Amino acid sequence: MFVDSHCHLSFPELRERIPQLRAAMAESAVHAALCICTTIEEFDRVHELALTHPDFWCSVGVHPDSEGVHEPDEAELLALAARPRVVAIGETGLDYYRLAGRSVADMAWQRERFAVHVRAARGARLPLVVHTRSASADTLAVLREEGGAEVGGVFHCFTETMEVARAALDLGFHISFSGIVTFRNAGELRDVARFVPLQRCLIETDSPYLAPVPHRGKVNQPAYVPFVAAQLAAEKGLDVAEVAQATTRNFERLFRVAVPARCGELAREAA
């Protein structure tokens, strides 16, 4: 069985297609998915997916790129994190890719938002879903300063260097690979995929974005996550079934859930 550890099923491209997406998941042996929140305004839609479907869970958080949105404090994040089937804080982190004329110093608001999320994760005892782009040094610095290693989590859709991967692993985080690892120009990322121990790997789609080869350019969906697993297996010289089993167990351990043994089966909450 496979698990999509990061998808955005509440986004417009996908939210009206949930029955079809779930049918495609079943056909591809994708037994579960983590639905990721990017704004507090979006949280109710994301949470409803997790409440409605026993093989979905969700996170709560504000994406670093989200501007002009409601800014939760630690108490609000803790209250939302306490709701059923919320298993992570995020997607949170830092993104300096589109500064739009601003300097890194001007992004202090982003660093403070990230710090609030790390504190909330520590308070809730939930793992972090970390986004970092063109900001890895500051991302690691905030995690160290705010005690992110106490809860761990995952660096999702990893595209950073071997050195960043090593630092994330040293902090106790997992590394999640998306469809990017299948792209022809992703040789350095495949080197990272070979380096990261299998017991610290997750796989994801980041749907609706970044569809893997052979679906590159299409709207992504959880049913495509086996293609990511296949690439990871190829890089590590393993059978796809071994990667599927390991990444599923890693998901269960990190988020403290039990993935249904059969698609659509009621999930058992881990003790």
Side-chain angles (χ1 to χ4, degrees):
M1 70 177 79
F2 301 91
V3 173
D4 185 353
S5 69
H6 191 112
C7 57
H8 298 281
L9 302 187
S10 62
F11 281 18
E13 299 94 326
L14 299 175
R15 66 187 180 210
E16 303 303 325
R17 299 173 49 210
I18 300 301
Q20 296 94 324
L21 295 174
R22 286 173 56 75
M25 287 172 63
E27 291 177 3
S28 299
V30 180
H31 286 221
L34 179 56
C35 301
I36 299 296
C37 180
T38 61
T39 66
I40 300 304
E41 291 87 341
E42 177 198 20
F43 175 73
D44 284 344
R45 292 195 301 272
V46 177
H47 190 224
E48 183 63 24
L49 287 167
L51 291 176
T52 303
H53 305 290
D55 45 3
F56 290 168
W57 292 272
C58 75
S59 70
V60 60
V62 183
H63 191 288
D65 271 344
S66 297
E67 298 190 51
V69 299
H70 175 67
E71 199 72 55
D73 60 15
E74 184 179 341
E76 184 174 7
L77 287 170
L78 284 169
L80 295 174
R83 296 189 183 182
R85 303 191 70 76
V86 179
V87 299
I89 300 293
E91 174 175 0
T92 182
L94 300 175
D95 194 321
Y96 300 161
Y97 184 69
R98 297 182 183 89
L99 291 176
R102 295 171 292 190
S103 70
V104 168
D106 294 329
M107 307 306 284
W109 62 271
Q110 219 180 68
R111 293 186 287 277
E112 176 55 25
R113 174 189 286 173
F114 185 24
V116 168
H117 280 65
V118 178
R119 292 174 208 141
R122 289 174 58 202
R125 307 306 301 170
L126 290 178
L128 288 153
V129 176
V130 175
H131 169 110
T132 185
R133 191 177 189 192
S134 302
S136 58
D138 281 357
T139 299
L140 292 165
V142 171
L143 288 171
R144 292 182 181 119
E145 290 164 7
E146 297 295 337
E150 291 183 21
V151 291
V154 56
F155 275 54
H156 105 92
C157 193
F158 195 85
T159 56
E160 301 293 334
T161 64
M162 192 83 73
E163 290 71 26
V164 176
R166 186 177 287 108
L169 293 170
D170 287 345
L171 284 171
F173 280 74
H174 289 63
I175 304 292
S176 182
F177 296 98
S178 70
I180 294 174
V181 77
T182 71
F183 295 176
R184 185 176 59 182
N185 62 349
E188 291 184 7
L189 182 58
R190 286 189 283 274
D191 291 341
V192 174
R194 287 190 288 273
F195 164 74
V196 176
L198 182 59
Q199 64 268 28
R200 301 286 286 281
C201 289
L202 295 177
I203 53 175
E204 65 172 271
T205 61
D206 204 10
S207 307
Y209 310 119
L210 304 173
V213 175
H215 298 288
R216 189 173 183 184
K218 299 179 182 178
V219 174
N220 205 358
Q221 59 175 301
Y224 293 164
V225 80
F227 293 101
V228 180
Q231 187 69 55
L232 189 57
E235 300 310 320
K236 292 185 173 297
L238 301 172
D239 186 81
V240 176
E242 186 174 354
V243 169
Q245 182 180 43
T247 53
T248 296
R249 297 296 170 256
N250 296 345
F251 179 88
E252 291 181 312
R253 184 177 63 254
L254 177 61
F255 296 110
R256 299 190 290 276
V257 300
V259 172
R262 296 193 302 274
C263 295
E265 182 180 76
L266 284 177
R268 296 172 289 107
E269 294 295 337

